[in-house]
């Protein structure tokens, strides 16, 4: 894929959302593209979208992510068992909204979401009764991209596993386009183009900027590997972000 498609995605993101830091649109764009490469990554960060108050565009950005990512699926709440089963059966990009209302004090669900940070740890084992009434171990995959939105921050363990995107209310001088309710359908061709591009992705070594803690560098590494495929301009944008 040339950088033309990546530029198109970033333009869409900027058209509908106001960011606290304008470079964050680069991070969102690269994260969206990376959802088509889950068979490539050994580690994939969460995307955590947050703001200090309501009506800052979190749900809108999450809807954009859902519409442009691979097999996006929106949820305003999710239980532990539902998380297990939808990932195991569908492998979607989960877009979880209203996290401030149900996730912050749900330590078990947070722990399971955290486990999906690396491919090797992304497994949950539980006991279930089989058809004969006997207990047996059942394995569930937790390996899928997850974008989460809410007011304020979450547990440090989740935040450290995330690319963090902070939003704010727009100023009166700032304008964004009206978000169409059929945006998911509008993006059908873009998703198809991304899927086709992902089939030819080559995972090359990358040298990261020598800044930030090790966990942050781990989170950003796959995004830089995508940027390398897009060209020097996107590598520079990634460094800024």
């Amino acid at each position: 894929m040339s950088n033309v498609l990546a530029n198109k995605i970033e333009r869409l993101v900027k058209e509908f959302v106001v960011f606290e830091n304008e470079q964050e649109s680069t991070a969102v764009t690269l994260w969206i593209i990376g959802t088509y490469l889950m068979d490539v990554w050994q580690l994939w960060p969460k995307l955590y979208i947050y703001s200090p108050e309501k009506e800052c565009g979190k749900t809108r950005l999450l809807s954009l992510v859902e519409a442009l990512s691979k097999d996006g699926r929106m949820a305003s709440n999710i239980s532990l068992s539902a998380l297990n089963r939808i990932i195991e059966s569908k492998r979607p990009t989960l877009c979880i909204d209203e996290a401030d209302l149900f996730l912050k004090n749900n330590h078990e669900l947070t722990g399971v979401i955290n486990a999906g940070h690396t491919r090797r740890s992304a497994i949950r084992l539980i006991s279930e009764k089989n058809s004969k009434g006997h207990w047996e171990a059942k394995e569930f995959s937790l390996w899928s991209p997850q974008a989460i939105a809410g007011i304020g921050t979450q547990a440090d363990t989740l935040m450290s596993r995330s690319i963090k995107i902070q939003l704010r209310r727009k100023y009166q001088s700032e304008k964004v386009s009206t978000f169409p309710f059929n945006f998911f359908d509008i993006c059908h061709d873009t998703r198809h183009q991304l899927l086709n591009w992902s089939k030819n992705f080559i995972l090359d070594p990358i040298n990261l900027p020598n800044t930030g803690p090790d966990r942050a560098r781990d989170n950003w590494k796959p995004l830089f590997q995508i940027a390398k495929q897009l060209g020097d301009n996107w590598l520079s944008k990634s460094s800024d972000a």
Side-chain angles (χ1 to χ4, degrees):
M1 177 180 67
S2 69
N3 61 17
V4 173
L5 186 53
N7 292 339
K8 174 185 176 181
I9 293 170
E10 188 169 34
R11 283 196 303 271
L12 282 171
V13 171
K14 287 182 174 180
E15 180 181 350
F16 295 106
V17 178
V18 174
F19 293 89
E20 178 68 20
N21 182 329
E22 65 178 26
Q23 282 79 23
E24 290 179 334
S25 64
T26 297
V28 171
T29 299
L30 292 171
W31 193 91
I32 287 169
I33 294 171
T35 65
Y36 290 81
L37 298 164
M38 294 303 287
D39 290 338
V40 173
W41 311 126
Q42 295 302 315
L43 177 152
W44 185 248
K46 315 300 176 187
L47 187 72
Y48 187 70
I49 303 164
Y50 68 109
S51 66
E53 58 185 340
K54 62 182 181 180
E55 297 183 11
C56 292
K58 296 182 299 299
T59 299
R60 176 175 291 193
L61 179 54
L62 200 63
S63 297
L64 277 157
V65 171
E66 181 204 22
L68 292 164
S69 295
K70 185 177 187 297
D71 299 326
R73 182 69 62 88
M74 183 76 81
S76 59
N77 198 323
I78 192 165
S79 68
L80 188 56
S81 60
L83 180 77
N84 292 341
R85 295 181 187 281
I86 194 168
I87 293 175
E88 181 68 33
S89 61
K90 303 293 186 181
R91 305 295 170 96
T93 298
L94 275 175
C95 299
I96 304 171
D97 204 2
E98 307 287 357
D100 52 293
L101 299 180
F102 72 92
L103 182 58
K104 194 162 190 173
N105 295 315
N106 191 332
H107 303 301
E108 187 176 13
L109 181 56
T110 298
V112 171
I113 289 174
N114 287 344
H117 189 227
T118 63
R119 183 194 291 270
R120 185 163 182 82
S121 67
I123 294 172
R124 185 170 186 243
L125 292 172
I126 65 171
S127 293
E128 282 193 347
K129 283 187 177 181
N130 60 26
S131 58
K132 297 180 179 180
H134 299 146
W135 290 98
E136 59 181 22
K138 186 172 180 62
E139 179 177 309
F140 288 93
S141 172
L142 302 172
W143 185 240
S144 77
Q146 292 152 25
I148 302 166
I151 295 174
T153 59
Q154 292 286 332
D156 290 345
T157 54
L158 178 55
M159 298 299 286
S160 71
R161 289 167 169 81
S162 301
I163 301 297
K164 296 175 280 291
I165 305 298
Q166 185 170 359
L167 304 182
R168 59 169 173 81
R169 287 188 177 181
K170 66 179 184 293
Y171 303 130
Q172 288 187 346
S173 59
E174 295 174 317
K175 304 294 182 183
V176 295
S177 297
T178 300
F179 190 69
F181 288 108
N182 64 336
F183 188 76
F184 189 93
D185 297 326
I186 291 171
C187 292
H188 175 271
D189 288 347
T190 303
R191 293 194 300 272
H192 185 68
Q193 289 173 309
L194 284 165
L195 183 61
N196 284 338
W197 167 81
S198 70
K199 297 173 183 176
N200 299 310
F201 180 80
I202 299 173
L203 187 63
D204 289 331
I206 188 76
N207 293 319
L208 299 182
N210 190 25
T211 58
D214 290 345
R215 173 70 55 87
R217 286 166 59 82
D218 289 343
N219 289 337
W220 273 90
K221 183 177 180 179
L223 274 65
F224 270 83
Q225 288 172 311
I226 296 168
K228 184 177 181 180
Q229 295 290 317
L230 299 176
D232 291 342
N233 178 51
W234 274 88
L235 275 174
S236 177
K237 285 154 60 82
S238 299
S239 296
D240 292 341

